[in-house]
Amino acid sequence: MHRRGVGAGAIAKKKLAEAKYKERGTVLAEDQLAQMSKQLDMFKTNLEEFASKHKQEIRKNPQFRVQFQDMCATIGVDPLASGKGFWSEMLGVGDFYYELGVQIIEVCLALKHRNGGLITLEELHQQVLKGRGKFAQDVSQDDLIRAIKKLKVLGSGFGIIPVGGTYLIQSVPAELNMDHTVVLQLAERKGYVTVSEIRSSLKWEVERAKQVLEHLLKEGMAWLDTQAPEESQYWLPALFTELYSQEITPEEAKEAIH
Amino acid sequence: MSPPSRVGQGRCRPRAMHPPARTSAKIVVHLHPTSSNKDLGPFQSSIYSYIKLSFKEHGQIEFYRRLSEEITQRRWENMPVSQSLQINKGAQAGRIRAVGIVGIERKLEEKRKETDKNISEAFEDLSKLMEKAKEMVELSKSIANKIKEKQGDITEDETIRFKSYLLSMGIANPVTRETYGSGTHYHMQLAKQLAGILQAPLEERGGIMSLTEVYCLVNRARGLELLSPEDLVNACKMLVSLKLPIRLCVFDSGVMVIELQSHNEEEMVASALETVSEKGSLTAEEFAKLVGMSVLLAKERLLLAEKMGHLCRDDSVEGLRFYPNLFMTQSE
């Protein structure tokens, strides 16, 4: 056999060695991926076993759901990230929350013209339960909060604002900054707030208070009562407890499924 | 407990012959035997030692919580005796009864212990499961680090495989997201499906729908195996790269919409301007009603028209109203 030139041979050898190094690099990742794949299959089996014993518990017991969600969060897992995830597929948690999301959207849309896109968690809860009907599974307020947190990613302005001991749910892309939130919290006690109250409680100047209140008026989240005895009152329809039991009218429902 | 006996006509009704297909949720409140010095209650005697509360239209979770709280707090024991209720019921008119449920807590406690036992088994199993899940998370982190170190030395195929593993476990993938996005084969398939499903609805709605509308529409149609909001967003992000006839757009406000490729929002602005001019001025709600759009999208169109200089706003406490921008159209 005829010998090749040392130069060409050396280069060829070097290239071969480089290729082998590269290969080894990918082989390392390949190994770990293969390991993960195997462990994933094992985990899936464990989850199936868990589901066969406790799927009902998750479905029926809201405290168990909370525990489950909290544990997932602690280890860095989001069981609601995808309908294609194991958790969703095998425990059925996905469908439960995603459907709840649809119902929440529809209630918020139907009532938006009344409350400007702000609703208390209590009222939302009541209306959602009504919409679900007698034979559907009960849902807790915690369930609603988790479903709403997932809806944020759709970009239509879903937000959760803590007020008093509860929450206001925002469902419109209106900008509500710290100032607005603080005034909402102040208004939660009586359902309305006045400029004087803001000045005395929050120590703001009149201008700042007025700006915030005007923004809420413009967004339809507050209504102005100029006939109040001492000074104008800014009422929040979201906080009118008397309106809670009012049914959603057919016209309002139509707006929701537009 | 002896079986109920017929006391008299109408006093003891027989069970229904055909039980309902679905029964409502129940809370059973077990009662202690009465103490000898107890006042008379609504009934002289009863063969039952429990009260069953039936929740035909839900509310049992919150009710149970509050009932348990009250049983623990026993606030009725601090109420003065004169606050007893007076119940007027035919032959029993004029009698004063003490308010309150006597001695429920023991039975409730027993029941709670039993339920706790079942739950603690479930919690135990759950903890064990979470331990295993945690191992998966650790492993995925180590792989992600390897990928970061060896940028480019991992094939696209392997990246896709890894991402689908993360998707199954519900683990976020910060590393690969920057380079390849959150999409997986699943999302690609989903994107193609969406393009098919949404064609007709989009045409019916003037070529544009908000992502929330799409979420509701698609999931209502599916009934089962619903999409998560993230699934929908991740799939929609791939629409353009897959050259599908619909696309995802984001307005300045953050509102996300799906549009037909053929849809041109800027062209729609021209017709919006005509409509507003005809009426002199319009709010988003009025415009929405006229044109048959959702208020959300109507507002976005008017805002876009304003951005393009065709409309002016009058922002007062009575609402946001849009007028044709005469500064533009009327020459000096």
Side-chain angles (χ1 to χ4, degrees):
Chain A
M1 190 180 310
H2 134 173
R3 229 177 237 225
R4 294 229 171 183
V6 169
I11 294 171
K13 237 193 197 169
K14 190 162 179 244
K15 279 223 165 118
L16 194 61
E18 265 176 9
K20 280 221 165 120
Y21 274 130
K22 263 218 161 177
E23 220 178 82
R24 202 156 167 270
T26 33
V27 162
L28 271 180
E30 174 63 43
D31 266 352
Q32 284 212 292
L33 279 180
Q35 183 193 357
M36 186 162 188
S37 174
K38 234 172 57 180
Q39 266 187 260
L40 216 57
D41 282 339
M42 266 191 344
F43 182 78
K44 200 172 168 189
T45 316
N46 289 327
L47 187 53
E48 268 166 358
E49 205 190 303
F50 180 84
S52 67
K53 281 169 49 184
H54 303 298
K55 189 171 176 176
Q56 287 307 314
E57 202 63 51
I58 291 206
R59 219 175 60 84
K60 291 187 178 168
N61 187 338
Q63 279 143 325
F64 193 58
R65 276 201 294 276
V66 171
Q67 192 75 346
F68 167 74
Q69 294 272 19
D70 286 347
M71 288 177 112
C72 283
T74 309
I75 62 171
V77 158
D78 182 1
L80 299 181
S82 171
K84 201 74 176 134
F86 286 161
W87 309 97
S88 181
E89 286 186 332
M90 276 178 255
L91 291 179
V93 274
D95 279 6
F96 174 79
Y97 286 98
Y98 307 147
E99 188 186 6
L100 194 51
V102 173
Q103 291 159 347
I104 290 168
I105 291 170
E106 288 177 347
V107 166
C108 287
L109 273 180
L111 296 177
K112 188 172 70 169
H113 73 101
R114 283 192 215 169
N115 55 33
L118 271 186
I119 187 172
T120 58
L121 185 57
E122 278 77 25
E123 187 180 357
L124 179 61
H125 190 207
Q126 276 191 22
Q127 296 282 10
V128 165
L129 283 179
K130 263 193 223 161
R132 283 168 73 89
K134 295 182 196 178
F135 299 121
Q137 193 195 331
D138 199 0
V139 299
S140 69
Q141 289 186 358
D142 181 83
D143 291 329
L144 289 178
I145 295 279
R146 289 187 197 273
I148 293 167
K149 282 184 179 165
K150 285 284 139 200
L151 292 178
K152 284 189 188 196
V153 77
L154 295 175
S156 290
F158 271 90
I160 301 171
I161 303 168
V163 294
T166 176
Y167 298 97
L168 277 176
I169 308 300
Q170 180 186 353
S171 60
V172 289
E175 198 220 301
L176 292 181
N177 59 30
M178 278 298 299
D179 274 8
H180 302 123
T181 308
V182 154
V183 167
L184 288 175
Q185 289 165 345
L186 195 56
E188 191 265 342
R189 269 196 330 247
K190 295 186 285 180
Y192 71 89
V193 74
T194 61
V195 174
S196 312
E197 277 167 12
I198 295 177
R199 290 186 68 199
S200 61
S201 298
L202 304 174
K203 312 279 184 272
W204 290 359
E205 296 102 46
V206 175
E207 260 320 299
R208 187 174 172 188
K210 282 202 164 155
Q211 254 195 7
V212 168
L213 292 171
E214 273 185 20
H215 182 76
L216 293 176
L217 278 179
K218 286 177 186 177
E219 290 296 336
M221 295 173 178
W223 292 356
L224 182 57
D225 177 10
T226 50
Q227 292 178 344
E230 281 150 20
E231 66 178 300
S232 295
Q233 294 172 343
Y234 294 78
W235 286 81
L236 289 163
L239 302 173
F240 290 179
T241 46
E242 295 79 45
L243 287 181
Y244 280 10
S245 52
Q246 273 195 21
E247 300 282 334
I248 292 179
T249 65
E251 291 77 35
E252 287 168 334
K254 250 196 334 194
E255 166 67 31
I257 47 174
H258 179 276
Chain B
M1 191 164 48
S2 53
S5 52
R6 287 208 150 233
V7 179
Q9 283 312 68
R11 271 278 230 114
C12 183
R13 294 208 298 175
R15 276 270 169 103
M17 284 292 148
H18 306 284
R22 306 271 207 112
T23 53
S24 50
K26 309 256 188 310
I27 293 180
V28 178
V29 180
H30 292 272
L31 309 173
H32 273 309
T34 59
S35 51
S36 47
N37 58 351
K38 183 190 166 298
D39 288 334
L40 286 167
F43 290 97
Q44 292 255 22
S45 68
S46 172
I47 33 140
Y48 300 108
S49 65
Y50 60 88
I51 299 171
K52 214 188 249 189
L53 303 169
S54 173
F55 292 79
K56 292 204 160 50
E57 294 191 20
H58 307 298
Q60 70 270 18
I61 299 175
E62 293 296 333
F63 184 87
Y64 180 77
R65 186 172 64 80
R66 287 171 201 229
L67 180 63
S68 308
E69 258 175 53
E70 285 305 328
I71 299 293
T72 321
Q73 287 182 15
R74 307 181 75 123
R75 286 190 292 178
W76 67 84
E77 285 182 349
N78 304 328
M79 287 195 331
V81 181
S82 56
Q83 276 195 25
S84 344
L85 276 180
Q86 195 154 20
I87 301 170
N88 253 334
K89 239 185 184 173
Q92 291 152 349
R95 277 222 204 118
I96 297 173
R97 284 160 199 73
V99 173
I101 302 166
V102 182
I104 304 169
E105 81 276 7
R106 204 211 315 146
K107 276 293 169 106
L108 260 183
E109 184 62 37
E110 275 174 26
K111 188 108 194 159
R112 205 182 302 149
K113 278 200 189 124
E114 204 204 299
T115 323
D116 276 351
K117 189 171 141 289
N118 293 340
I119 299 217
S120 61
E121 195 200 312
F123 280 154
E124 238 185 76
D125 287 346
L126 180 64
S127 303
K128 287 192 202 134
L129 186 73
M130 287 299 167
E131 280 303 317
K132 303 208 171 81
K134 195 166 167 197
E135 286 169 23
M136 299 296 309
V137 174
E138 294 306 321
L139 180 55
S140 75
K141 275 188 195 159
S142 114
I143 297 180
N145 283 333
K146 278 234 157 62
I147 293 178
K148 213 165 47 176
E149 286 166 24
K150 295 170 185 307
Q151 278 295 5
D153 268 18
I154 181 164
T155 66
E156 197 183 312
D157 213 43
E158 286 166 336
T159 311
I160 292 179
R161 258 174 75 195
F162 183 50
K163 282 198 293 181
S164 74
Y165 296 161
L166 295 180
L167 188 76
S168 302
M169 283 301 299
I171 302 170
N173 54 336
V175 178
T176 52
R177 192 186 291 155
E178 295 115 39
T179 41
Y180 296 106
S182 301
T184 63
H185 277 311
Y186 168 63
H187 295 115
M188 268 201 273
Q189 277 180 325
L190 195 50
K192 292 178 190 161
Q193 275 178 29
L194 286 171
I197 299 169
L198 295 175
Q199 189 74 24
L202 280 169
E203 280 166 10
E204 282 167 31
R205 289 163 178 73
I208 184 170
M209 281 171 79
S210 74
L211 208 54
T212 2
E213 282 178 271
V214 172
Y215 176 78
C216 292
L217 190 109
V218 171
N219 275 340
R220 282 253 177 255
R222 281 183 157 229
L224 284 179
E225 287 180 21
L226 305 182
L227 299 182
S228 76
E230 277 163 67
D231 285 336
L232 182 59
V233 172
N234 288 333
C236 289
K237 284 181 177 171
M238 303 180 98
L239 289 170
V240 170
S241 63
L242 291 174
K243 304 212 181 350
L244 292 165
I246 63 176
R247 62 168 174 247
L248 176 70
C249 286
V250 184
F251 286 113
D252 292 342
S253 59
V255 170
M256 294 164 91
V257 297
I258 301 294
E259 297 177 341
L260 287 172
Q261 280 287 9
S262 56
H263 179 91
N264 188 332
E265 191 65 12
E266 271 111 25
E267 279 170 20
M268 304 307 286
V269 159
S271 86
L273 175 57
E274 260 184 58
T275 314
V276 174
S277 302
E278 271 171 41
K279 300 288 177 182
S281 72
L282 287 173
T283 63
E285 290 78 19
E286 290 163 356
F287 180 62
K289 223 172 184 172
L290 266 178
V291 176
M293 278 177 93
S294 71
V295 177
L296 182 77
L297 294 182
K299 188 168 179 186
E300 290 299 331
R301 186 163 296 170
L302 294 175
L303 287 173
L304 181 60
E306 181 193 31
K307 192 173 169 189
M308 289 167 67
H310 298 300
L311 293 179
C312 269
R313 70 165 58 191
D314 174 23
D315 208 353
S316 71
V317 293
E318 277 159 36
L320 178 58
R321 188 165 279 278
F322 291 91
Y323 292 78
N325 184 0
L326 299 176
F327 295 109
M328 277 265 282
T329 52
Q330 290 183 352
S331 39
E332 302 285 355

